[in-house]
Amino acid sequence: MTIQIGGSDECGRLDPAAALFHSLSDPTRLSIVKRMAGGEIRVGDLATELGLAQSTVSAHVACLRDCRLVEGRAQGRSVYYSLARPELMDMLAQAEVLLAATGNAVSLCPNYGAGSTSAELTKENTR
């Protein structure tokens, strides 16, 4: 997919790109993707490595699977998950280049940067 800017249907063309970036916007899902870059893994093993409940990891893997970013391979009673597209790691590598070039300035973003979650929770609690 080519991301094109301009034209009368700009939002329609960006929806798939926005969905892609949204699927990777959760730190847990990003950790799962980075771990799968090293090879296939079962949900239970991921849960142990990440220190999270298996149900939590399973839900995140299901999200990535639904987005067709990861795929499962059944072996007996186990399912081994891996990246469906190696290009995903190329994209993440480029994101790291961009972060380095900007000095990780995105972490200062009031909407999505470090501390934004706690700020949003504070706003919600005062309502």
Side-chain angles (χ1 to χ4, degrees), residues 1-5 9-20:
M1 172 191 70
T2 302
I3 298 175
Q4 300 174 1
I5 304 299
D9 191 26
E10 184 175 326
C11 288
R13 284 191 291 247
L14 287 178
D15 284 350
L20 170 65

Side-chain angles (χ1 to χ4, degrees), residues 55-123:
S55 59
T56 300
V57 174
S58 183
H60 285 294
V61 169
C63 173
L64 293 166
R65 186 189 63 233
D66 291 345
C67 293
R68 297 188 180 165
L69 297 176
V70 303
E71 58 191 6
R73 176 184 64 81
Q75 181 175 335
R77 293 176 51 168
S78 296
V79 178
Y80 290 84
Y81 290 94
S82 61
L83 296 180
R85 304 295 316 180
E87 297 89 348
L88 180 56
M89 293 315 300
D90 296 336
M91 185 188 77
L92 293 176
Q94 287 303 306
E96 289 180 8
V97 170
L98 180 60
L99 288 170
T102 62
N104 293 320
V106 73
S107 65
L108 301 175
C109 173
N111 294 316
Y112 304 112
S116 63
T117 302
S118 60
E120 286 302 313
L121 289 175
T122 302
K123 285 181 192 176

Side-chain angles (χ1 to χ4, degrees), residues 20-72:
L20 170 65
F21 288 114
H22 187 71
S23 71
L24 298 170
S25 67
D26 184 272
T28 298
R29 287 193 296 273
L30 198 52
S31 295
I32 290 168
V33 166
K34 286 183 175 185
R35 169 51 186 87
M36 286 183 186
E40 62 184 14
I41 189 166
R42 299 177 305 165
V43 168
D45 297 332
L46 266 172
T48 300
E49 286 185 22
L50 298 175
L52 298 170
Q54 187 166 337
S55 59
T56 300
V57 174
S58 183
H60 285 294
V61 169
C63 173
L64 293 166
R65 186 189 63 233
D66 291 345
C67 293
R68 297 188 180 165
L69 297 176
V70 303
E71 58 191 6

